[in-house]
């Protein structure tokens, strides 16, 4: 079983939807492409620019892109493992 990280805003816990769109900001040298940044891990499909930060569409806070990925705590993962072994 592969563990998928949960993706949500580190500031307000908003979960991006499949139809959520971000813009490769022209004001920051981007190309204006609109896409879902979590499909590409922050990489613009238009110009290939890798965005280190992602702005929340709801609370507008800019956070490092990696902070949006929430992996299960290590302890929880090990407990799951133990359960699989004994099951
Ligand atoms: Zn937010
Ligand atoms: Zn771009």
């Amino acid at each position: 079983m592969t563990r998928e990280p949960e993706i949500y805003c580190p500031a307000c816990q908003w979960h991006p939807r499949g139809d959520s769109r971000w813009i490769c900001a022209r004001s920051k040298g981007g190309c204006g492409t609109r896409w879902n940044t979590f499909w590409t891990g922050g990489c613009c499909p238009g110009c290939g620019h890798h965005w280190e930060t992602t702005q929340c569409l709801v609370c507008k806070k800019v956070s490092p892109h990696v902070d949006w990925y929430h992996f299960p705590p290590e302890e929880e993962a090990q407990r799951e493992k133990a359960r699989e072994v004994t099951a």
Side-chain angles (χ1 to χ4, degrees):
M1 183 185 155
T2 49
R3 294 194 145 267
E4 296 282 322
E6 242 197 293
I7 298 173
Y8 57 86
C9 172
C12 73
Q13 279 80 50
W14 170 69
H15 287 64
R17 297 165 18 152
D19 61 357
S20 299
R21 293 291 180 271
W22 282 259
I23 297 171
C24 188
R26 288 185 196 275
S27 59
K28 293 174 189 161
C31 66
T33 294
R34 287 167 61 88
W35 86 110
N36 186 320
T37 191
F38 293 101
W39 293 346
T40 60
C43 188
C44 172
C47 67
H49 181 77
H50 189 254
W51 290 90
E52 300 281 332
T53 55
T54 296
Q55 185 179 29
C56 178
L57 301 184
V58 172
C59 73
K60 309 296 181 197
K61 186 170 161 43
V62 178
S63 305
H65 188 77
V66 292
D67 284 4
W68 284 70
Y69 297 85
H70 301 266
F71 292 89
E74 195 68 31
E75 193 191 316
E76 186 65 27
Q78 280 175 3
R79 212 181 304 155
E80 287 263 319
K81 214 176 189 180
R83 207 180 297 151
E84 273 167 35
V85 171
T86 50

